[in-house]
Amino acid sequence: MPDRGGGPSGPRIRAGRPSRGIRTLLMTLGVLAVLGMAFTMFAGFWTDWLWYRSVHYSSVFTTTLWTKIGLFFVFGLLMAVAVGVNIWVAHRLRPPLSAMSMEQQSLDRYRMGIAPYKKWLLLAVTALVGLIAGASAAGQWRLWLMWVNGVPFHQKDPQFHLDVSFYAFDLPWYRFLLGFGFAAAVLSLIAAALTHYLYGGLRLTSPGARATAAATGHLSVLLGLFVALKAVAYWLDRYGLAVKSSDFKATGNWTGLRYVDANAYLPAKTILFCIAVICALLFFATLWRRTWQLPVIGFGLMVLSAILIGGLYPAIVQKFQVQPNEQAKEAPYVQKNLKATREAYGIDDAKVTEYDGKSDAADQAKLRSDADAAASIRIMDPNIVSPTFQQAQQMKNYYAFPTNLDVDRYKDKDGKEQDTILGLRELNLDGIPKNNWINDHFRYTHGYGVVAAKGTEADDQGQPVFTESDLPARGDLGTYEQRVYYGEKTTTYSIVGGPQKEVDYSADNGDEKTFSYTGKSGVNLDNPLNRAAYAVAFNDPQILYSGAIGKGSRILYNRTPKDRVEAVAPWLTIDGDAYPAVVKGRIQWIVDAYTTSNGYPYSSRTTLGDTTADSLTATNNNRAVVAQQNQVNYIRNSVKATVDAYTGEVKLYQWDTQDPVLKTWMKAFPGTVQPKTAISPDLMSHLRYPQDLFKVQRELLSRYHVTDAQTFLTGSEVWQVPDDPTNDSGSAVPPYYLSMKMPDQSKQSFSLTTTFTPNGRDNLSAFMAVDSDPGTSDYGKIRILKLPTSTTADGPKQVQSLFNSRQDIAETISLLTRGHSKVEYGNLLTVPLDGGLLYAEPVYILGGSKLKYPLLGKVLVSYNNHTAFENTLDEALNKVFGVAGSTTTPPDTGTANPPSSKNPTVQQALADAQKAFDAGQQALQKPGGPDWAAYAKAQKDLKAALTRAEEAEAGAGSKKGT
């Protein structure tokens, strides 16, 4: 029989053990797996470092990294030492002999089993708790940097008279330390108790004493430390009352002390602190008394006190002292909340002025002239006309405009500043002829050019009047670098500057122009290590071996303006709407950024995602503010940032020179933020008041416009931001930019405006505007026109309803929407005018089934219950004010006009209008493309027919009245 175990003639094989080759293979695979995981981690670290170095913000990367590493090792080591030392002490204090009992005999098996591995087990346990604690501490790098770099606010809270910086910078760090201390005490207590039990220091079922004296002393010290930390928590809770949030029936969300806090919770926390200190001393005393009797009694007293003093007593005070006379009791604390909230949100200087809302002016010609001076009424709605820009200026399918265009100010050829609608022709990868790796990342890499149009005009066809157009773009903006490598739609990476040429644009003769990126942006891929790292980081192996990458190739990523600013300044909150501007021959994205805090005493908190939501963010997530669920109670527009659309260069400018939060971060990251004086005059002319800050402030001002506590408590002056009446989103009306002047201003200023209605009602209660022109000393000044409560003025929803209910308007709308056409309402703008309120709204027509982009069709205007629905803004204003030969529409009385069908002249005019409308639709839908000349003629015929119908109807109405 052969020797199965092996012999001189062959190797000995052990049953159940892999061969040497298998073991080698498994070991090799294991090593490769470890190396693969290590390189994956390294790739993420290395590519981050390369990116920060490429944008010249490597100090942000290194400061953040070393802070995280320092916190990880310090707190990880502290936790590991705390747990490890207590395990070691418990092991040293084990009794020499175990009691002879079933319990101890059972434990003997475990003791014997772990005896050879005690050191390794101790290291494993301490390493595990250390890693977890270190990772948790590393995530608190912001708290550490704020605490160590914090600067004073030079404002004190009204209760404890401490600087606000204590609550904003110090208290959060102290709470973290306290939480860490609790975790260390609890883990040490559990580890020590288990060790004592394993080695007989604690006995659950054995006869005799349940614990040895050594175990009793050890565990008592740990319990004493835990109770001592609880005493510190009670003491910090006293200060935490100044920033505590609670529901207050009279006001809703509330932050700060109320009567019951100051007169019940505050003394209760002080008493509980004293009891906890005594209880901790009793636990420490067991080192000498060796009994838990007194500590247990003390601990029970502390728990009972927490229930009675910390819970029951405040409830009694609230029930029997506050509720019977709530307003008188709470008024002093509400006054503190009012003052702090207005200061924290920068609304303390908001100027509230009484305004009639109705005009008694009799000189209609003067009113018409004043209307032109009051505002540059914008009839091009940037949130609607993007498809029109797309149709007229897209040029190629691989270009696209953002869904919502931007409003800015530019000078025309005569040097006069005008409101301008502006958008970039950005790259749209969904529209390239063929999607593949080379096209997506090498050939189609950038957009091209700015397209701009006048905000206050439309041409005869209802299209925008472009001031910058075509490809390459030409117009009023002069010469500038038109290539857009960084934009809101640019979300994928591109590899540029290498052997592969890029598609630049198509010339007039149809030839495709190519280009090779010459900027210094991005990361160089000449290095094989870099290519391997990016192949792993982007999970795209072709980066490693593709022949399209060669000398000079650079990879561009993190290409949206918000992403870049957020990356270089992770301590900022970014506004939801970055906007482009042509500055000194370059396209610059301008990004507003905020410093925020959650620790301003007595200031009510708000959730950014809720307060910045409106009808635009409901349909466009790109406009939503970042950190949507962050609750803050202090906010400042402290930084203006720019991102170059060609080079991607990011610059941060200090805007609020007094903000202590920004000063703190500037200390933490020195050299990252440039002084305000570094902003060039050209850039300064394009800065504006940010929308998200304005929306936060208007939400707060709906309640905090009052400064009297009694009025605030009654809730009689609560306002609300109305829903957008121009669509069915059910969301708040967005704020609107336009150049206008308030009653106390001598000339128009670029402003951001909104309206308020009373809570639960639709009439207008106030109009708010903030000066958005940084070139004036009034920049940021909030003006509120408060309408009287004794009379009513129509709010946006009522004005829209008034427009829709007019029979003559309804008939015209019905005519315009025949066939496949649709009507879309533009921004409903509100302008104060001679004591009254002028409303203006553009109405857009979306053509037939083949042409789905809006053209300006009509303009609605309303003033003092006079309404006009005309082809142009000038005609509508003339009609409302009864000048230039127009017949003024009589005030609406609720009585419908006589049906036009009874008037043959009106019937004929409407028939002619229908023919003109049909002709226009046919011109738009011709197989070879729209016939714009025929469409323009049809529009003129339609306008003339509608004018005849209106004049005939008005004439019939006047005869009947006579």
Side-chain angles (χ1 to χ4, degrees), residues 468-483:
E468 185 81 8
S469 59
D470 299 334
L471 185 68
R474 57 183 67 88
D476 294 348
L477 300 184
T479 303
Y480 59 96
E481 173 55 67
Q482 298 194 19
R483 297 174 181 90

Side-chain angles (χ1 to χ4, degrees), residues 117-324:
Y117 312 105
K118 286 191 294 185
K119 291 183 178 179
W120 292 108
L121 186 60
L122 177 63
L123 287 175
V125 170
T126 55
L128 178 62
V129 297
L131 287 172
I132 295 173
S136 176
Q140 305 302 319
W141 62 273
R142 288 179 176 85
L143 294 185
W144 163 258
L145 289 176
M146 285 195 297
W147 179 68
V148 77
N149 295 289
V151 301
F153 277 66
H154 300 297
Q155 290 176 290
K156 295 184 177 181
D157 77 284
Q159 180 66 42
F160 301 101
H161 307 292
L162 297 173
D163 192 272
V164 172
S165 61
F166 171 80
Y167 301 93
F169 306 138
D170 300 342
L171 188 58
W173 178 250
Y174 296 154
R175 281 177 164 166
F176 164 72
L177 292 179
L178 186 64
F180 178 83
F182 273 123
V186 170
L187 289 175
S188 297
L189 183 62
I190 293 172
L194 289 174
T195 305
H196 280 300
Y197 176 70
L198 181 63
Y199 288 97
L202 289 179
R203 309 180 186 97
L204 300 181
T205 62
S206 301
R210 298 299 183 195
T212 63
T216 299
H218 184 199
L219 297 179
S220 294
V221 170
L222 292 176
L223 286 170
L225 288 173
F226 179 86
V227 176
L229 289 172
K230 187 62 180 173
V232 176
Y234 281 133
W235 190 255
L236 289 181
D237 284 347
R238 298 168 69 255
Y239 302 110
L241 293 172
V243 290
K244 183 192 74 171
S245 288
S246 60
D247 289 328
F248 188 13
K249 181 177 65 176
T251 61
N253 182 35
W254 172 272
T255 300
L257 286 84
R258 290 156 51 191
Y259 181 90
V260 70
D261 297 310
N263 295 278
Y265 281 110
L266 186 57
K269 296 292 184 182
T270 305
I271 294 170
L272 289 171
F273 163 77
C274 297
I275 293 174
V277 170
I278 295 171
C279 186
L281 293 175
L282 291 175
F283 274 107
F284 294 142
T286 57
L287 287 172
W288 297 275
R289 292 181 56 84
R290 302 297 183 179
T291 176
W292 279 352
Q293 185 176 5
L294 284 178
V296 169
I297 293 174
F299 188 78
L301 176 62
M302 187 179 74
V303 173
L304 182 62
S305 300
I307 295 172
L308 296 178
I309 301 175
L312 185 59
Y313 174 62
I316 292 173
V317 172
Q318 179 69 25
K319 179 71 174 178
F320 295 101
Q321 290 191 36
V322 178
Q323 288 185 7

Side-chain angles (χ1 to χ4, degrees), residues 536-825:
V536 172
F538 289 173
N539 193 27
D540 195 341
Q542 293 185 85
I543 295 177
L544 181 61
Y545 56 76
S546 174
I549 301 175
K551 184 174 178 59
S553 292
R554 310 181 72 85
I555 185 168
L556 313 181
Y557 62 104
N558 279 3
R559 297 170 71 183
T560 69
K562 288 196 291 186
D563 285 346
R564 294 181 78 78
V565 175
E566 189 176 20
V568 303
W571 35 272
L572 290 173
T573 298
I574 311 302
D575 189 88
D577 184 26
Y579 61 98
V582 177
V583 180
K584 288 187 174 180
R586 307 196 71 86
I587 301 173
Q588 299 282 354
W589 287 99
I590 300 176
V591 183
D592 285 288
Y594 310 110
T595 47
T596 61
S597 175
N598 194 28
Y600 198 100
Y602 272 101
S603 173
S604 290
R605 290 181 172 86
T606 187
T607 303
L608 293 181
D610 295 337
T611 52
T612 58
D614 58 28
S615 61
L616 296 183
T617 60
T619 56
N620 184 3
N621 291 331
N622 290 332
R623 293 180 69 96
V625 69
V626 293
Q628 289 190 13
Q629 298 309 311
N630 280 8
Q631 276 209 330
V632 304
N633 66 356
Y634 172 92
I635 187 169
R636 290 289 186 272
N637 176 213
S638 53
V639 171
K640 301 284 188 181
T642 61
V643 177
D644 192 292
Y646 180 75
T647 66
E649 181 183 20
V650 182
K651 291 184 179 180
L652 307 177
Y653 298 99
Q654 182 183 17
W655 185 247
D656 189 331
T657 58
Q658 304 302 316
D659 177 29
V661 180
L662 176 60
K663 291 179 180 179
T664 295
W665 288 117
M666 289 175 68
K667 280 182 63 180
F669 296 97
T672 57
V673 181
Q674 299 183 39
K676 188 174 184 177
T677 53
I679 300 176
S680 68
D682 197 6
L683 174 60
M684 182 72 76
S685 67
H686 293 286
L687 301 181
R688 68 188 190 188
Y689 202 82
Q691 291 188 58
D692 284 333
L693 176 61
F694 182 78
K695 287 187 278 190
V696 170
Q697 290 176 326
R698 75 173 178 178
E699 180 66 28
L700 269 295
L701 280 167
S702 66
R703 289 177 291 136
Y704 285 90
H705 62 277
V706 301
T707 56
D708 175 65
Q710 295 292 343
T711 306
F712 187 83
L713 282 166
T714 63
S716 60
E717 289 292 327
V718 173
W719 300 337
Q720 65 182 14
V721 179
D723 290 343
D724 191 342
T726 64
N727 57 56
D728 299 325
S729 68
S731 301
V733 62
Y736 294 125
Y737 288 107
L738 78 158
S739 294
M740 56 161 291
K741 68 174 183 178
M742 293 289 276
D744 64 334
Q745 292 180 292
S746 58
K747 62 178 182 179
Q748 292 182 17
S749 177
F750 193 63
S751 303
L752 190 55
T753 67
T754 192
T755 53
F756 293 104
T757 58
N759 193 25
R761 296 167 60 193
D762 292 328
N763 57 289
L764 196 69
S765 57
F767 174 81
M768 171 180 164
V770 61
D771 195 312
S772 188
D773 189 348
T776 66
S777 58
D778 281 348
Y779 173 85
K781 184 174 182 178
I782 298 174
R783 296 176 172 90
I784 299 175
L785 303 181
K786 182 178 179 295
L787 277 69
T789 55
S790 56
T791 59
T792 59
D794 290 339
K797 186 175 181 179
Q798 292 172 320
V799 170
Q800 189 68 50
S801 178
L802 175 68
F803 288 160
N804 296 340
S805 64
R806 284 289 302 269
Q807 181 174 336
D808 53 340
I809 295 176
E811 287 179 350
T812 305
I813 294 291
S814 176
L815 178 63
L816 293 173
T817 55
R818 290 182 182 179
H820 297 284
S821 298
K822 294 193 304 183
V823 163
E824 189 168 356
Y825 293 99

